[in-house]
Amino acid sequence: MFLRLLQDTKATFGNTLRLFRASTQSLVKEHKHRVRQYSLRLQQHSVFRFKNEQQVLRNFNELLFPGGGQKLREEQRIIEQLQIDLKRASVNHLSTSKQRFSTLERDLDTMHPKNVLKRGYSITTLNGKAVASISSVVIGDKLETQVFDGVLISTVKSKNKKIDE
């Protein structure tokens, strides 16, 4: 009898275990199915929400900056053109500056005292200072006149003031 009771209990326990396994497997399958459904719905909702938010941002951007994308491209094109113009203007300015420098250099060379003397001009000095007016010399002063190839020394014998024309 005890053996029979033990066999019945074992059979009942086995049946209960099979029922528990079957129920558990069924619940796991059902929950897996629900999790997949929720996951798919969540994914679909996220994509929808993301697209919706993108559109909201586009609309907001269009309100703030009408023609925003187009305007940005236009501004970029303007900047590129300004860069080209700046480069061209810099090259022109540099070229003009080089020409002006060459002209100044040529003028400076032309005005150099040695070159002035070569052209027939002279520099007259009294005590090492240039004579610019007859009022700065008196009769008897010794003058030095520098010409291209040397110095002339002379004595003032007379002065004739220029009559204004």
Side-chain angles (χ1 to χ4, degrees), residues 4 8 12 14 17 32 47 56 73 77 80 84 87 90 92 95 100 106 108 113 116 118 120 122 128 130 136 151 156:
R4 178 91 182 123
D8 285 344
T12 305
L17 185 62
K32 275 185 176 181
V47 168
V56 167
R73 285 187 290 279
R77 189 195 62 73
E80 289 169 359
I84 291 168
K87 189 175 184 180
S90 297
N92 287 341
S95 176
R100 186 165 181 236
R106 189 179 66 244
L108 185 62
V116 171
K118 278 183 185 177
S122 62
S136 62
V151 176
V156 177

Side-chain angles (χ1 to χ4, degrees), residues 83-98:
Q83 287 174 329
I84 291 168
D85 293 346
L86 179 61
K87 189 175 184 180
R88 186 178 299 128
S90 297
V91 168
N92 287 341
H93 180 69
L94 183 60
S95 176
T96 302
S97 295
K98 282 181 180 179

Side-chain angles (χ1 to χ4, degrees), residues 6-157:
L6 193 57
Q7 286 177 344
D8 285 344
T9 306
K10 185 179 176 183
T12 305
F13 180 73
N15 289 337
T16 305
L17 185 62
R18 279 190 291 279
L19 180 64
F20 178 76
R21 280 186 183 158
S23 298
T24 306
Q25 285 177 348
S26 175
L27 281 174
V28 167
K29 279 184 181 180
E30 184 180 328
H31 281 93
K32 275 185 176 181
H33 181 70
R34 281 185 184 170
V35 167
R36 282 188 195 123
Q37 284 180 333
Y38 288 143
S39 176
L40 184 60
R41 285 174 55 195
L42 180 62
Q43 183 182 8
Q44 289 171 344
H45 184 72
S46 295
V47 168
F48 171 77
R49 181 76 187 241
F50 180 73
K51 287 182 179 179
N52 191 29
E53 291 300 322
Q54 275 185 322
Q55 187 60 44
V56 167
L57 286 174
R58 275 190 227 106
N59 292 343
F60 184 67
N61 189 31
E62 194 62 35
L63 284 173
L64 286 177
F65 309 106
Q70 179 64 26
K71 189 168 185 121
L72 188 61
R73 285 187 290 279
E74 179 64 23
E75 293 296 324
Q76 180 66 30
R77 189 195 62 73
I78 289 171
I79 288 171
E80 289 169 359
Q81 186 61 46
L82 287 172
Q83 287 174 329
I84 291 168
D85 293 346
L86 179 61
K87 189 175 184 180
R88 186 178 299 128
S90 297
V91 168
N92 287 341
H93 180 69
L94 183 60
S95 176
T96 302
S97 295
K98 282 181 180 179
Q99 288 174 350
R100 186 165 181 236
F101 180 75
S102 293
T103 301
L104 290 173
E105 189 176 42
R106 189 179 66 244
D107 290 348
L108 185 62
D109 189 51
T110 302
M111 298 306 292
H112 190 278
K114 286 184 180 181
N115 292 326
V116 171
L117 295 174
K118 278 183 185 177
R119 290 194 306 269
Y121 292 93
S122 62
I123 302 171
T124 301
T125 60
L126 175 65
N127 299 324
K129 294 187 180 185
V131 176
S133 170
I134 66 168
S135 62
S136 62
V137 296
V138 293
I139 294 176
D141 280 344
K142 287 193 177 188
L143 304 176
E144 290 185 6
T145 302
Q146 185 176 356
V147 293
F148 175 67
D149 59 352
V151 176
L152 303 171
I153 298 179
S154 56
T155 303
V156 177
K157 291 188 178 185

